[in-house]
Amino acid sequence: VLVGDFLYSRAFQIVVEQRHQEILDIFAKSTHFIAEGEILQLINRHNPDTTEDFYFDIIDRKTAKLFEVSSQLGALLATE
């Protein structure tokens, strides 16, 4: 987890250096969304009543969001 956090924060530094507002907006919104997913996961980590839908919501807010952002940024940069 720590290495992932380090890589994400380093990517954020690189994005800030580029001063590209649309990319900054995507990163900022996704960071907030990912943090919410992490909090939900921590709050419910020992909850035996966790539903499959809730589990997929957490995945959507974490790993899936990283894939989404990668795709968005790739498409954005490819069109410039």
Side-chain angles (χ1 to χ4, degrees):
V1 172
L2 188 56
V3 172
D5 290 346
F6 171 77
L7 291 173
Y8 195 79
S9 67
R10 182 64 186 121
F12 218 118
Q13 287 177 322
I14 293 167
V15 168
V16 168
E17 290 170 3
Q18 300 304 310
R19 304 204 189 318
H20 191 295
Q21 189 59 46
E22 193 169 357
I23 293 174
L24 285 170
D25 289 343
I26 291 169
F27 258 83
K29 289 174 185 171
S30 66
T31 300
H32 178 80
F33 200 72
I34 292 167
E36 284 179 345
E38 187 64 33
I39 291 167
L40 286 172
Q41 179 176 307
L42 288 173
I43 290 171
N44 291 284
R45 69 181 179 178
H46 296 296
N47 181 0
D49 298 324
T50 299
T51 65
E52 188 174 301
D53 285 340
F54 186 73
Y55 174 74
F56 281 114
D57 185 41
I58 290 172
I59 291 172
D60 183 53
R61 291 174 181 271
K62 295 179 63 185
T63 307
K65 181 54 81 173
L66 291 173
F67 281 98
E68 178 185 335
V69 168
S70 299
S71 299
Q72 286 178 326
L73 296 179
L76 177 64
L77 293 172
T79 58
E80 290 190 357

